[in-house]
Amino acid sequence: MQGTVRTYDAATRSGSVLLDDGTELPFDATAFDAGGLRMLRFGQRVNLALDPTDRVSVITLSTFPLPH
């Protein structure tokens, strides 16, 4: 699944992503760390995966593959 970074706080490594349908999904430091990123910026396209409870479990750049 893909989306666009809406917010990102470098201090907490958390933020939110807007899906293409306009749905906003928050992500936490665990999802950020799982993607192997160092930083995100507003408007950046990202790939994300959801866990069985529909919580973002991984977020990474759209040019990076999602970890398995």
Side-chain angles (χ1 to χ4, degrees):
M1 163 181 314
Q2 289 192 336
T4 304
V5 175
R6 182 174 182 278
T7 63
Y8 174 69
D9 181 342
T12 63
R13 299 183 328 275
S14 62
S16 64
V17 173
L18 282 178
L19 300 181
D20 293 340
D21 68 2
T23 303
E24 184 175 358
L25 293 176
F27 64 89
D28 58 20
T30 303
F32 181 82
D33 293 343
L37 299 175
R38 292 183 180 210
M39 186 62 150
L40 286 172
R41 67 180 190 283
F42 176 78
Q44 199 164 22
R45 287 293 284 178
V46 292
N47 287 331
L48 53 131
L50 303 179
D51 68 14
T53 65
D54 289 338
R55 199 174 132 225
V56 176
S57 59
V58 178
I59 184 167
T60 193
L61 298 179
S62 62
T63 55
F64 292 177
L66 286 170
H68 297 279

